[in-house]
Amino acid sequence: MIPRQIASARQIQTVVGRAVLAQRRFLHARPVPTWQSDYPKLTEAEDPGQNGGYINPPRVKRQFRDPHGDWWDKQERRNYGEPVHEDNDILGMFSPEEYTWIKPGKGALQVGAFILATLALCGVVAITYPDRPSAPREFESGLERELGGPLATRVRQTQSKDWA
């Protein structure tokens, strides 16, 4: 039992010794510069987009680039190493397509024509729709005799509001 305790104590000493040695090496190493010290200090005039001086390519949606061009990435229509616009999530191929088939004025005219045609159809149907072909049936003394006559027990009294 005692030799096991001695062996485990020796292992602990070697592990602790290695950790202390690694700490000494780390403390004597020269400090690593942080990103804040390397970050350029730009004024508002030098960096109007406030993006750290990143060169933004023109704002062109990838949908409008030549689909048959010799692109490195054929799906995104982009070359290797080409800078990416900061709004790439909006300008990429996987964003919703920009609708360019019809101009807004022509689209509003078409929507207006549809509404006008629908209202005209409703008006024509309302004018030409026939009336009811039958008249309500009338009885000489109402339905009193058919419902049991004057001595029949009523379901509800006409004067009281509660059910009896």
Side-chain angles (χ1 to χ4, degrees):
M1 189 73 134
I2 294 176
R4 284 187 183 171
Q5 292 174 350
I6 294 172
S8 65
R10 284 186 185 164
Q11 288 176 352
I12 291 173
Q13 284 177 352
T14 56
V15 169
V16 170
R18 288 182 184 163
V20 169
L21 194 65
Q23 282 181 347
R24 286 183 188 162
R25 285 186 195 151
F26 180 73
L27 291 175
H28 294 297
R30 73 170 208 230
V32 178
T34 62
W35 64 272
Q36 293 174 344
S37 63
D38 292 342
Y39 195 74
K41 306 279 192 247
L42 300 172
T43 64
E44 181 65 32
E46 294 172 338
D47 188 21
Q50 296 181 351
N51 57 3
Y54 183 75
I55 299 168
N56 249 347
R59 187 181 173 89
V60 176
K61 198 162 171 64
R62 299 267 169 82
Q63 149 189 0
F64 300 123
R65 286 186 170 186
D66 182 20
H68 304 293
D70 189 25
W71 303 106
W72 178 75
D73 183 1
K74 303 236 184 255
Q75 186 171 3
E76 271 291 316
R77 298 179 188 166
R78 183 175 173 265
N79 287 324
Y80 182 77
E82 178 182 357
V84 179
H85 197 278
E86 68 180 328
D87 293 332
N88 185 51
D89 55 340
I90 298 169
L91 300 174
M93 285 300 291
F94 295 109
S95 62
E97 283 198 25
E98 194 169 315
Y99 191 76
T100 59
W101 298 102
I102 296 176
K103 304 270 186 219
K106 188 174 181 182
L109 184 70
Q110 288 178 347
V111 168
F114 170 75
I115 292 172
L116 184 67
T118 304
L119 291 176
L121 178 68
C122 290
V124 167
V125 167
I127 291 171
T128 61
Y129 196 74
D131 290 337
R132 273 177 58 179
S134 64
R137 190 170 174 190
E138 295 182 9
F139 298 93
E140 294 174 11
S141 63
L143 292 176
E144 189 172 350
R145 188 172 45 92
E146 286 80 9
L147 291 175
L151 300 176
T153 54
R154 305 267 181 210
V155 177
R156 181 175 168 197
Q157 297 294 332
T158 55
Q159 292 82 15
S160 67
K161 293 187 178 188
D162 55 337
W163 296 89

